[in-house]
Amino acid sequence: MAAPPLRLLTAVPLCDGHDSAISTINLELARHGIEVVYLGYHQSVAAIVRAAIQEDVNAVGLSSYNGGHIVFFKEVVGQLKAAGSGDIPVFGGGGGTITPADARVMQRNGVDRIFFAGTPLDRIMAEIKTRYARPAKPDRKFKGDRALARAITLAECRVGSPNPATAGGTLRPDAKKSRPKAATTAGKTFVIGVAGPGGAGKSTLIDELTSRFLQKIPRGRIGLLANDPSHPGTGGAILGDRVSAIYAQDDRVFFRSLATRGSLTGLSAAAPAAIEILRSSGEFDLIFVESVGVGQESDPFGVFHGRKLVDAVLYVLPPHYGGRIQLQKIALLNGADLVVLNKCDDPRAHAAKAEIQTRLDQNQRGQHLHATTAAKHSDLGVDRLFAVIAKLGGLDPARGGEKACQMEVSP
Amino acid sequence: MSSLGRIADAVAAYNQFVTAEIARARTDAKFAAELRARWAKIRKSVEWTQSPTGTKLPRLALPDTAEPGAIADFLLGQGLPGEFPYATAAYREMYLDRDQGAGEEPMRLFAGLGLAEDTNARFKYLSRNQKSLRLSTAFDGPTLYGLDSDHEGVLGKVGEGGVAIDTVEDMLRLFADFDLTRPDASVSMTMNAPAPVILAMFLAATKRRFGPGCLQQLRGTIQADILKEVQAQNEVIFPVDASLRFLGDMIEWCVPNLPKWYPVSVSGYHIAEAGATPVQQAAFTLANGFTYVELLRQRGVDVNRFGPRLSFFLDCGLDVEYLVLGRVCRRLWSIGMRDVFGADAKAQLLKLHTQTSGRSLIAAEFQNNLTRTAVELMLAYLNYTNSCHSNSADEPFTTPTEKYALLASHAQSILLEESGLFKHMMNLFGGAPGLLALERQVEQGILDVFREMDTLGGVIPAMEQRYQRSKIQEAGHAYEQQIYSGRRPVIGLNRYVTDEPLPHVPLARTAPRKQRLQVERLKAFKKKHAKKAPTALQRLENVTRSSGNVFGELLDAVEVCSLGQITACLTGVVGKFRPMV
């Protein structure tokens, strides 16, 4: 069995939109079997550091093209260190804008490596692999999110290893001991599995629900587990869900990207362990687990197999699902606790609503269709859906959840 | 069918019309006689001039033919300079007698560095030999993203890559001592997501200096092309629909109030720099332009009032397609505007600004960049661009230093004034076999992209499906692969490499002390207006929540609010842009 893939975080600094170099690098990294968590362009130091910690990456790569790199890189290194994650090396490049003299200053400031203009991609790849590949080990020094993140990394390594005993780590992370359990929510984490075809707007919907959570539950914490496919040939992956998760940039959000690493269920094989790790930390009021956009028969959350992984399943559909016959084939519509028609600004949505509700009525489970336009700012449909979720999950009043539960649920 | 499908159909129909007219010219004796008579008149009206070495030359070169089919082909397929479909040129004389100071100066030199006074000094340095006043402004990252210089984490970026502008007071310093009401003055601002705020600041500053009457005289351009930002350049703040509303509000205000201003510069430059091929650059840019026309038409603005206030901006690299890109774009735009949108002659004209390619410049043996830029300049002028910026050779390392900015400007003077190439004759190559072959292929490529976007529902639906972004990224990736594999020769990088170490180039960087000064100035401004700002922001919020014209309110708000305060207020109402991978 091959070693688990190298995980990197890549990003472009604040006030910089030059993403063409990083896009090429991301593709190359994935082609070389590396899992790339891409954070996007115009990213603050805080966002980069938070993502590096929660994703427990082997290294952070920054592509900077419009100046200010000396200060910016220094801040990233400094804040990683301050957060107890100084072990994560920072590398980067910026074409000709980072001169050799700058690079010397940056390296004195703790930056691991600067790649100059004209360095062949193959050489960059080879060097990244030799510099940053190292197996993840349990580390008692890690606290807080990094401890949770490392436990998830170890779980990912274990499921991919033929001999779990030698893969390092225990299922229960030190995280549990290292941080005070939030008394009010112990054992009350509500976990929602989100499924639906690609293009339904799952990520946007989850992000908008995250924003409602942050508004309505002012002291709560939310966990997000985003599953994305690994490339079947190379084993690499571009995990890009963070790019459009604009509300996930908050310390009250724990966001982890999981590559499927050959699992065909729509979830990483480590997802059950990851859910358990977050649940048992006692920190989270709500967790969303986003599956890869999957087909009609799929059942990523074990709805039809007795051992249900999550507390509720949310199934998202776009208006262009392809008609009545297609609806009949979607097994999860029978088992989903929440069914959402998203993109309701589409002219096809009106007919789709009636058709889907008819399909749900066949199940005789009293399922009600929720209509949202998640891409619209402050969409009332998302407000209503969140109120339903808050009620269903009994989001804790002590964390400000009372208001959320009492939000009016109007048709 | 989106308008892109109709435009592609209109171009195909126009090409069929030209073919039919050529055939008719060869079979219909009466039509042939009319054409010959017209041609004789045109030829007779051409004036003659003389080169410094004594060669007599026509000021307008025309195909040497009397055959009616060939005449019809040139007049209808290409058009005389300044005549539909404008492939030859947008205007008649253009660069003739540039050495004698005739006509409009086409050179624009983009500048922006440090604080407002630094850029002001650079403007003075660059314009000291210019007859007309051409001030083209680059802004720093925080300004482009609508953030104040005191925003958390941006200090190192203040004044880097462009000028830092937070308030109307910075705007006053930026253009201090320049008479912006001169008829030959024009100001250009490369500003997109916060364009309405920055234009409002510019107008507030200008009114303070020249009085409210100056609005009639002000000439210039603000880029304000949010579609290409979403597709390529990534400087987006607000969701797309809100961005388009703010833009529409600004344009609607500008059309009657700033009659000489270009409130949008539809830009392919950043699309190409992000990786697009020349054909993709042209296709996406034209399609974006047509999308703005549709949006304005939906708001009830007459295409003939708004059409002439649009301008275009293309990249010019070293690929062969650049020899004709501007020509093809003018032709397609005029046909689409005339035959699909019913625009009149003034609104059919694509007015083009070109910049040489930044991406083609490399750090290794960087003095070769002088030659690259010179070749690109020649290609740009062979397209009869209306204005042009030439890049500085040191750009792979730094915001241009004085030395290389001056060399870049001299390159244009050498081409237009010193060399005889452009100053004696118009239409050097129009109708030449190589150009025609390229034009046909490039045009077909553009129409294919139009049709593909049409099947996706048009520009905005395609954008939501990240069509343009994927295409641009794929092309960018292919370009890099070609360089690394050596299939795309880059001298000094993958061919004829001399292993010269990277040179020590002087850098134009903003000193930390200046960055702190900018923050102090901003704090003082905020303190001075602490009482009035909340009221202004509340009014702005109310108008944004209602369906009123946001631009009208911005004109007041900028008097007492900073860019960052205004951005935060607007984001509070309309939300933030959700980026795409």
Side-chain angles (χ1 to χ4, degrees), chain B residues 505-554:
Chain B
V505 186
L507 303 176
R509 294 251 173 101
T510 306
R513 123 191 100 72
K514 286 201 174 175
Q515 294 171 326
R516 287 192 298 269
L517 173 63
Q518 181 65 17
V519 171
E520 281 161 27
R521 282 173 174 172
L522 172 64
K523 290 213 158 109
F525 178 91
K526 283 183 180 168
K527 202 172 156 196
K528 187 162 79 182
H529 299 292
K531 278 221 177 83
K532 287 187 175 162
T535 323
L537 291 170
Q538 187 57 54
R539 278 213 317 270
L540 179 63
E541 187 185 323
N542 295 344
V543 171
T544 312
R545 282 193 199 285
S546 76
S547 52
N549 188 311
V550 172
F551 192 73
E553 205 54 51
L554 283 173

Side-chain angles (χ1 to χ4, degrees), chain A residues 95-164:
Chain A
T97 65
I98 305 181
T99 65
D102 290 346
R104 284 192 291 277
V105 175
M106 292 163 84
Q107 273 159 351
R108 275 203 298 279
N109 291 340
V111 174
D112 189 63
R113 175 79 163 90
I114 294 297
F115 292 100
F116 293 110
T119 315
L121 279 175
D122 286 342
R123 205 156 91 207
I124 297 178
M125 296 303 135
E127 202 176 318
I128 284 174
K129 281 199 226 171
T130 51
R131 279 178 107 91
Y132 304 126
R134 47 165 208 280
K137 292 190 183 118
D139 193 332
R140 286 178 177 277
K141 284 202 306 294
F142 293 149
K143 305 277 182 260
D145 282 358
R146 185 71 191 285
L148 291 175
R150 176 51 55 95
I152 295 173
T153 308
L154 294 173
E156 283 190 289
C157 298
R158 205 163 34 238
V159 296
S161 160
N163 183 358

Side-chain angles (χ1 to χ4, degrees), chain B residues 16-26 31 35 68-69 72-73 76:
Chain B
Q16 277 166 15
F17 161 78
V18 175
T19 311
E21 289 293 88
I22 294 169
R24 190 160 75 95
R26 285 171 182 154
F31 184 47
L35 280 167
D73 193 5
L76 300 172

Side-chain angles (χ1 to χ4, degrees), chain A residues 64-70 93-103 106 115-118, chain B residues 159-162 357-370 372 391-401 403-405 492-493 500-510:
Chain A
S64 165
Y65 276 80
N66 73 352
H69 39 265
I70 296 182
T97 65
I98 305 181
T99 65
D102 290 346
M106 292 163 84
F115 292 100
F116 293 110
Chain B
E160 283 288 327
S357 165
R359 183 171 70 153
S360 70
L361 307 186
I362 61 163
E365 295 166 48
F366 81 106
Q367 301 214 12
N368 286 327
N369 294 338
L370 290 167
R372 293 189 177 100
N391 286 330
S392 300
D394 57 353
E395 277 182 46
F397 312 100
T398 174
T399 303
T401 55
K403 176 182 168 187
Y404 286 100
L493 186 68
E500 201 179 278
L502 283 180
H504 183 74
V505 186
L507 303 176
R509 294 251 173 101
T510 306

Side-chain angles (χ1 to χ4, degrees), chain A residues 246-281:
Chain A
I246 53 180
Y247 297 107
Q249 300 199 354
D250 190 300
D251 285 336
R252 293 201 286 129
V253 181
F254 181 95
F255 190 117
R256 176 65 178 239
S257 313
L258 296 170
T260 52
R261 298 190 183 176
S263 157
L264 296 173
T265 64
L267 292 180
S268 153
I275 293 170
E276 187 47 34
I277 288 162
L278 295 189
R279 214 195 265 275
S280 64
S281 75

Side-chain angles (χ1 to χ4, degrees), chain A residues 176-219:
Chain A
K176 202 178 163 189
K177 291 174 207 153
S178 68
R179 55 201 303 150
K181 201 186 271 184
T184 48
T185 56
K188 289 181 72 181
T189 306
F190 191 63
V191 183
I192 301 179
V194 182
K202 294 189 290 294
S203 306
T204 305
L205 182 63
I206 291 173
D207 194 43
E208 286 294 327
L209 289 168
T210 303
S211 88
R212 304 308 190 278
F213 178 91
L214 294 173
Q215 287 163 23
K216 305 286 180 192
I217 321 282
R219 288 183 301 283

Side-chain angles (χ1 to χ4, degrees), chain A residues 17 19 28 67 96 102 207-208, chain B residues 157 234 396 469 481 509 578-579:
Chain A
D19 68 345
E28 280 299 306
D102 290 346
D207 194 43
E208 286 294 327
Chain B
K157 302 266 181 190
N234 301 330
R469 288 184 77 81
Q481 295 292 350
R509 294 251 173 101
R578 189 185 305 281

